[in-house]
Amino acid sequence: MAAPMFSARLLGTLKRPGGSDGDGLDLSDDGLRCPSTGETFPNIDGIPSLYMPSPGEGKDVTARVKSFYEEHPFPSYEGLEEFGELVNKGSHNPFAARLLEGIGYNKLVLECGCGTGQLTHFLQLNNNHVLGIDLSLSSLRLAVEHKLRNGLERSAFAQMNIFDLAVKDGAFDVVIAHGVLHHTFDARRAFGHIVRKVKPGGIVMVGLYNRYARVPTWLRSKAIGILGPRIDYVVRNRIRDARKAEIWVKDQYYNPHETWHSIDHVLHWFDQNGVEYLNCSPPILGSDGEDAASLFDRTRPGTPYQRVVTQLSWLASIAREGALFDVVGRRREGPVV
Amino acid sequence: MLVLGISAFYHDSAAALVRDGEIVAAAQQERFSRKKHDSEFPAEAIAYCLDEAGVTLDQVDHVGFYDKPLLTFDRLLETYLAFAPRGLPSFVAAIPVWVKQKILQKSLVVKGLNALERGAVGEDKVLFGFHHHSHAASAFYPSPFDEAAVLVMDGVGEWATTSTGLGRGREVTLLNEIRFPHSLGMLYSAFTYYLGFAVNDGEYKVMGLAPYGEPKYAPTILDTLIDVKHDGSYRLDMTYFNYCTGLTMTNGRFDALFGGPPRKPSQPLTQRDMDLARSVQAVTEEVILRMCRSLHADTGQRNLCLAGGVALNCVANGRVLREGPFENVWIQPAAGDAGGAVGVALAIAHQMNGLDRAPRNRDAMQGAYLGPAFGDDRIRADLDRRGARYEVVAGDMLFERIAEELAAEKVVGWFQGRMEFGPRALGNRSILGDPRSERMQRLLNLKIKYREGFRPFAPAVLREDVSRYFEMDSDSPYMLLVAPVSEDRRQEVSDADAARQGLDKLHVVRSDIPAITHVDYSARIQTVHEDTNPRFHRLLQAFRTRTGCGVLVNTSFNVRDEPIVCTPDDAYRCFMATEMDVLVLGNTVLRKEEQ
């Protein structure tokens, strides 16, 4: 069941970091190679790497976040997860199951900030091809290890910088950044980079910490040193593996950099980047998003008042699990300005 | 005369329609609602049965419900009273549901039926059978026998947990019964629960796990939990169980007896778990064999019919056939509660209305292919809506081509004709593979079914070839008999391999058809017959012509925790959500790499 590092469809989306869309890549013996420049990109410890550090501005944030996730690969596998178990877990997770259903079949998907790659692996069901990128090699090592052990042919991984993505513009049907942009030095700019990678008419989904619902996590972060990790709902109820619990606590309470965002922030980003709003998860209360059959159905974003009420209500729901909300949009036809 | 049979509100709800004693259609509600073991009123299954027969409710003469809810209510009340005040929380939880829904069942059934917009029935047409009589009827009437002894075993139905009976001509009479709380089914379910599997669903896993273990705990079970008499009758020691009063199956005393709390589903399986599975399986087989011997002595019958959930224990069935006193054994393929719908409808036709019964050469279940079929137009419409790429392969070419794919270790989804009734896929909603492949068992479990790696797969074999592969030469069209793989097909196992323990045994190649050879050399056999499933028969023939092997791996067309597929769209979605390589719907072929 030996699986190649990249399926042909995914290989076709790659380009030289910093290069133009003409600088495609080929597989070489121990990594990737750009035929037009002759440059080689050897794997690092078996992990494809197309990472180019951010120059100047934001460099220290990126470096701190990178070294944090090198030390704490997130979300990590619980013990020895077989692919079948991962699929069962994903199918029983309403968010993951709805996401997969929304994506549909035979799609090319880019997951920015894939961490240890569970979602990447799950989304390659339905004959989708999914590229997971992250800056943490230690996270990617677990992702690639799972891929190779289970012979998964349509998920692939590479180390990349979200501000200098080594993939071609407009190459993907769906681009996802679930819980990632808020760890970059400028989430708005990072969004601008990832949205270019969606083809016109394609889907972009961003998951961010909510500025209202994240407050209790912030309060807990002040107390967790004294009261211990059991004050966290996820540690108490969701996680069975000790190492995984430790990593969750580090990610949530000791992260070197995080920013908080509202639905309206994202709507603004959408406007600036030629993206049409489709839906929000959890849905905006009182909007038709509440009854949408699919996460990717086109719905109205409600009024500013409805959005504030919705986000306040999240204090009683998603706040206990990290306060991550996702907004889904569709890139309008035509080039990004 | 038209009789509609319904089973609902406990485990698997289902409907069946019988015209002049002939089963026209039967289906489980879960296939339509896509909720596994759906126990709601089977509206869609009933609608399908009526549509299949082209009739409305106005034309239906009787509606039969498969058990008597008031008797079950009586059992619940008495059980609660006997154990009071223990069990108060579960009593408080259960009673409102009972008062609201189950006691008012007659009007509920009528209301449900009349909401289907397929004519109307009045309350006077609705009849209620006895739970175990419905099971017994489902076992005897469709059987090929004029006369037979009948054995029904399940968790519980009304009061009875085990019933013996006699079928003769138009009559099915119940002779003896063992009553709740003493139940062989509940004993098995208690171990299913204790081993960390879901009750009423994971019993198969216990049976599949058993060959990895040794029956070390069988003496403990026989000494403490169950008192088995020579004639097979038994009593449980209820101080070890919690199902009368609580929401779990077992209690602290049970835990203490086996040295620990129940396994959590997330915990790995240990040798002890396998030994426990083997032990309860051994005890179950022993009880059933004793019961068969005394039933044989009491009735003097040559033939035996089995039904009830315990009759799905095909390992025990295999022993009943090989070691039991009866010459012939027939098992209702929908042995669980779904089959009660068929049973009650047939009982109303024959026993109540005196309709004559003419036993068939094989049986009257028609291969269990009693569900909906979908024509080419519907298949292509479903596929087009999904944007699927497919080709239509005409006539004989199809079988050659698919045999070729199978021989190249491709995994094929095989969707043909009418859906099966009962828990098994029998070649119309099946996933097929090459049994000669050493990697097939692992591949199917981990990348297609997404289920536990230890679970075995079953062979489908041409009826005419069955004795070439297995130590058996009888019909097993419903995959309900287990028999050993023939000695001459087995392979020498090295000393190192023979010394392997537990789940490690899985990795040893034991025969030239390793994918369907369980660790104890057993196989759960489906014999494929030309008259009931000509297309599957032809595929097997084509595979035999190409490879010399007349056997295929046959597993149900679903992934773990989902019902078997019903429509072409269900099949497409399941195909795409797994690593299946090829999907065949009628003559329409999809290849994953072309999607």
Side-chain angles (χ1 to χ4, degrees):
Chain A
M1 288 202 260
M5 205 55 101
F6 294 94
S7 68
R9 285 185 73 191
L10 286 176
L11 189 61
T13 68
L14 300 178
K15 68 166 190 177
R16 185 173 66 87
S20 71
D21 287 356
D23 298 338
L25 300 179
D26 287 342
L27 282 173
S28 67
D29 284 347
D30 66 334
L32 292 155
R33 185 179 164 278
C34 178
S36 54
T37 64
E39 232 175 314
T40 58
F41 303 93
N43 293 344
I44 303 178
D45 292 345
I47 311 303
S49 175
L50 298 168
Y51 182 78
M52 200 190 245
S54 298
E57 189 195 3
K59 212 165 115 182
D60 56 322
V61 171
T62 309
R64 270 190 291 139
V65 171
K66 181 171 184 300
S67 84
F68 176 81
Y69 283 110
E70 289 297 0
E71 203 178 321
H72 308 288
F74 184 78
S76 182
Y77 291 79
E78 292 190 32
L80 224 169
E81 258 175 323
E82 295 274 13
F83 178 58
E85 273 181 52
L86 187 146
V87 173
N88 280 308
K89 218 169 130 194
S91 314
H92 286 106
N93 175 325
F95 174 76
R98 278 196 95 199
L99 180 58
L100 178 64
E101 205 191 328
I103 290 172
Y105 302 94
N106 311 309
K107 299 292 196 297
L108 272 172
V109 182
L110 173 65
E111 194 198 352
C112 301
C114 64
T116 51
Q118 277 93 332
L119 188 63
T120 323
H121 290 310
F122 181 69
L123 297 179
Q124 62 96 51
L125 294 175
N126 288 357
N127 206 35
N128 298 315
H129 292 247
V130 190
L131 176 64
I133 65 114
D134 204 282
L135 44 53
S136 159
L137 278 173
S138 64
S139 294
L140 292 172
R141 199 167 296 126
L142 293 177
V144 168
E145 194 265 336
H146 186 90
K147 167 187 162 72
L148 296 177
R149 182 158 38 80
N150 289 288
L152 305 181
E153 291 173 15
R154 297 183 309 273
S155 52
F157 300 90
Q159 189 195 24
M160 286 186 201
N161 183 344
I162 210 162
F163 292 96
D164 190 358
L165 289 166
V167 296
K168 295 170 187 167
D169 285 351
F172 290 89
D173 299 295
V174 180
V175 171
I176 293 166
H178 180 64
V180 176
L181 304 186
H182 49 226
H183 293 311
T184 66
F185 72 89
D186 187 337
R188 185 185 58 83
R189 263 166 61 187
F191 180 78
H193 283 277
I194 67 163
V195 86
R196 302 181 69 89
K197 307 304 173 188
V198 193
K199 65 174 62 159
I203 299 283
V204 60
M205 185 183 96
V206 281
L208 298 161
Y209 289 146
N210 186 254
R211 71 183 303 173
Y212 301 82
R214 190 72 181 165
V215 172
T217 305
W218 176 78
L219 289 174
R220 281 195 296 273
S221 78
K222 303 296 163 204
I224 199 164
I226 303 157
L227 299 175
R230 298 280 302 167
I231 64 170
D232 183 90
Y233 174 84
V234 174
V235 169
R236 285 200 310 276
N237 295 291
R238 295 270 192 273
I239 301 180
R240 305 185 296 247
D241 180 89
R243 168 77 178 143
K244 190 168 171 159
E246 185 195 326
I247 285 174
W248 167 260
V249 168
K250 287 274 183 228
D251 181 70
Q252 290 294 308
Y253 301 106
Y254 297 95
N255 210 293
H257 179 83
E258 68 175 56
T259 52
W260 300 350
H261 305 272
S262 66
I263 301 173
D264 287 64
H265 278 175
V266 183
L267 292 178
H268 184 59
W269 300 352
F270 278 13
D271 271 350
Q272 286 180 320
N273 289 280
V275 175
E276 157 194 39
Y277 171 87
L278 292 182
N279 210 336
C280 187
S281 167
I284 295 168
L285 300 175
S287 79
D288 52 352
E290 285 191 277
D291 316 309
S294 159
L295 200 53
F296 292 1
D297 280 354
R298 189 173 163 186
T299 64
R300 283 181 299 273
T303 63
Y305 172 74
Q306 284 172 323
R307 293 196 288 273
V308 169
V309 171
T310 300
Q311 292 172 96
L312 287 171
S313 81
W314 290 348
L315 281 166
S317 56
I318 58 172
R320 64 186 190 186
E321 292 185 64
L324 197 62
F325 73 109
D326 288 86
V327 189
V328 183
R330 182 186 301 283
R331 185 176 157 186
R332 295 201 175 88
E333 306 289 331
V336 176
V337 272
Chain B
M1 188 181 57
L2 275 175
V3 186
L4 176 68
I6 298 172
S7 93
F9 306 131
Y10 296 98
H11 308 132
D12 298 280
S13 63
L17 194 72
V18 170
R19 178 189 271 142
D20 303 326
E22 176 100 7
I23 306 164
V24 182
Q28 291 130 277
Q29 175 65 11
E30 61 161 26
R31 306 292 171 85
F32 302 94
S33 66
R34 311 306 302 156
K35 279 182 239 154
K36 202 172 187 192
H37 301 303
D38 193 348
S39 61
E40 297 289 305
F41 182 75
E44 288 152 293
I46 296 169
Y48 154 68
C49 288
L50 294 171
D51 295 349
E52 181 73 45
V55 298
T56 65
L57 287 169
D58 303 300
Q59 293 159 267
V60 169
D61 296 285
H62 302 284
V63 176
F65 193 81
Y66 84 130
D67 78 354
K68 293 200 195 300
L70 273 177
L71 280 180
T72 311
F73 186 61
D74 174 56
R75 166 176 55 87
L76 281 186
L77 271 185
E78 285 200 28
T79 307
Y80 282 126
L81 287 175
F83 286 88
R86 272 190 291 147
L88 194 65
S90 83
F91 181 79
V92 169
I95 290 305
V97 183
W98 268 94
V99 172
K100 268 207 286 252
Q101 286 190 7
K102 302 198 176 175
I103 296 183
L104 303 172
Q105 212 142 61
K106 198 170 208 172
S107 61
L108 222 111
V109 167
V110 170
K111 229 163 119 186
L113 287 170
N114 291 342
L116 296 174
E117 297 178 350
R118 283 169 174 78
V121 287
E123 285 200 12
D124 55 315
K125 281 192 185 173
V126 182
L127 304 164
F128 291 82
F130 285 97
H131 191 107
H132 273 208
H133 189 270
S134 297
H135 275 314
S138 79
F140 174 67
Y141 290 119
S143 77
F145 311 133
D146 287 315
E147 283 187 19
V150 182
L151 180 59
V152 176
M153 292 163 294
D154 65 2
V156 60
E158 295 137 6
W159 275 102
T161 63
T162 295
S163 300
T164 57
L166 190 62
R168 191 175 274 152
R170 294 185 297 239
E171 301 278 320
V172 171
T173 351
L174 294 181
L175 303 172
N176 285 308
E177 67 181 26
I178 296 175
R179 292 190 135 208
F180 189 82
H182 307 289
S183 165
L184 192 58
M186 290 285 195
L187 177 73
Y188 209 91
S189 293
F191 276 89
T192 303
Y193 166 84
Y194 187 71
L195 291 173
F197 302 116
V199 171
N200 289 331
D201 183 50
E203 281 77 5
Y204 259 100
K205 301 181 188 178
V206 176
M207 192 176 72
L209 193 61
Y212 293 96
E214 296 299 328
K216 281 185 189 162
Y217 299 95
T220 315
I221 296 172
L222 288 168
D223 288 343
T224 47
L225 299 182
I226 185 168
D227 176 21
V228 187
K229 302 292 181 214
H230 187 68
D231 65 356
S233 65
Y234 57 83
R235 286 181 69 80
L236 301 183
D237 183 343
M238 294 313 297
T239 59
Y240 290 94
F241 300 92
N242 196 31
Y243 57 78
C244 286
T245 54
L247 301 168
T248 57
M249 294 298 293
T250 58
N251 61 21
R253 280 196 80 189
F254 191 101
D255 297 352
L257 188 61
F258 296 107
R263 184 182 77 96
K264 294 202 180 81
S266 57
Q267 288 172 331
L269 288 160
T270 62
Q271 187 61 46
R272 175 176 151 274
D273 298 322
M274 300 166 207
D275 293 341
L276 282 167
R278 177 69 186 276
S279 303
V280 70
Q281 178 65 30
V283 169
T284 302
E285 290 168 18
E286 181 57 32
V287 174
I288 294 174
L289 277 171
R290 281 193 204 178
M291 219 170 307
C292 286
R293 284 194 284 265
S294 58
L295 181 61
H296 181 257
D298 290 350
T299 60
Q301 292 291 322
R302 293 161 46 224
N303 308 317
L304 174 69
C305 298
L306 291 172
V310 180
L312 293 171
N313 193 313
C314 41
V315 178
N317 296 343
R319 284 193 64 192
V320 168
L321 181 68
R322 282 193 303 279
E323 302 168 36
F326 291 97
E327 272 172 50
N328 306 298
V329 177
W330 191 83
I331 306 151
Q332 163 59 241
D337 277 2
V342 168
V344 70
L346 289 171
I348 289 172
H350 295 298
Q351 198 150 356
M352 197 180 107
N353 287 294
L355 208 67
D356 271 333
R357 174 177 168 268
R360 310 273 183 94
N361 207 357
R362 187 159 305 117
D363 64 59
M365 287 299 289
Q366 303 153 49
Y369 307 111
L370 297 166
F374 298 88
D376 286 345
D377 292 349
R378 168 69 189 270
I379 288 170
R380 277 153 221 170
D382 277 9
L383 293 177
D384 289 341
R385 208 157 32 82
R386 294 281 181 185
R389 290 188 200 154
Y390 55 84
E391 63 168 328
V392 178
V393 181
D396 293 348
M397 273 301 289
L398 178 77
F399 303 97
E400 311 292 327
R401 293 268 288 278
I402 301 307
E404 188 183 341
E405 303 270 13
L406 285 163
E409 286 193 301
K410 300 280 193 233
V411 177
V412 176
W414 183 250
F415 180 103
Q416 304 286 334
R418 296 184 73 177
M419 182 176 74
E420 299 86 347
F421 180 57
R424 301 278 77 83
L426 300 167
N428 281 0
R429 301 289 185 277
S430 288
I431 298 171
L432 308 176
D434 187 342
R436 302 168 305 155
S437 163
E438 291 177 18
R439 66 187 194 110
M440 192 55 68
Q441 195 264 357
R442 189 176 148 76
L443 176 74
L444 285 171
N445 268 335
L446 300 184
K447 292 181 79 174
I448 289 162
K449 304 285 281 191
Y450 304 128
R451 65 185 201 184
E452 301 89 339
F454 73 84
R455 294 181 59 189
F457 285 97
V461 58
L462 291 165
R463 171 64 184 93
E464 49 273 33
D465 285 354
V466 65
S467 59
R468 287 181 53 209
Y469 295 92
F470 305 101
E471 289 175 10
M472 181 177 106
D473 195 9
S474 47
D475 293 353
S476 177
Y478 305 116
M479 217 181 253
L480 284 168
L481 294 172
V482 164
V485 171
S486 302
E487 294 274 0
D488 57 340
R489 303 230 158 239
R490 298 186 191 175
Q491 282 176 13
E492 205 68 44
V493 172
S494 71
D495 289 345
D497 279 345
R500 288 182 192 234
Q501 287 297 313
L503 295 184
D504 211 22
K505 292 180 181 175
L506 186 64
H507 305 295
V508 181
V509 173
R510 292 167 195 278
S511 75
D512 62 355
I513 37 177
I516 56 89
T517 307
H518 205 359
V519 294
D520 60 352
Y521 296 101
S522 67
R524 185 179 62 173
I525 298 162
Q526 179 199 358
T527 53
V528 178
H529 304 251
E530 194 174 4
D531 58 339
T532 52
N533 198 337
R535 286 178 76 83
F536 195 27
H537 193 265
R538 280 183 70 188
L539 179 65
L540 273 159
Q541 279 181 322
F543 187 71
R544 185 179 61 183
T545 306
R546 174 167 286 276
T547 66
C549 173
V551 182
L552 284 171
V553 181
N554 174 10
T555 183
S556 53
F557 200 144
N558 63 336
V559 299
R560 183 160 104 171
D561 298 336
E562 278 193 15
I564 296 173
V565 300
C566 177
T567 66
D569 192 58
D570 295 339
Y572 175 78
R573 287 188 297 135
C574 185
F575 169 66
M576 293 302 283
T578 66
E579 300 304 305
M580 242 181 277
D581 302 296
V582 180
L583 171 63
V584 188
L585 305 121
N587 282 319
T588 306
V589 179
L590 288 77
R591 286 188 179 73
K592 184 65 66 57
E593 66 210 27
E594 291 165 7
Q595 300 304 313

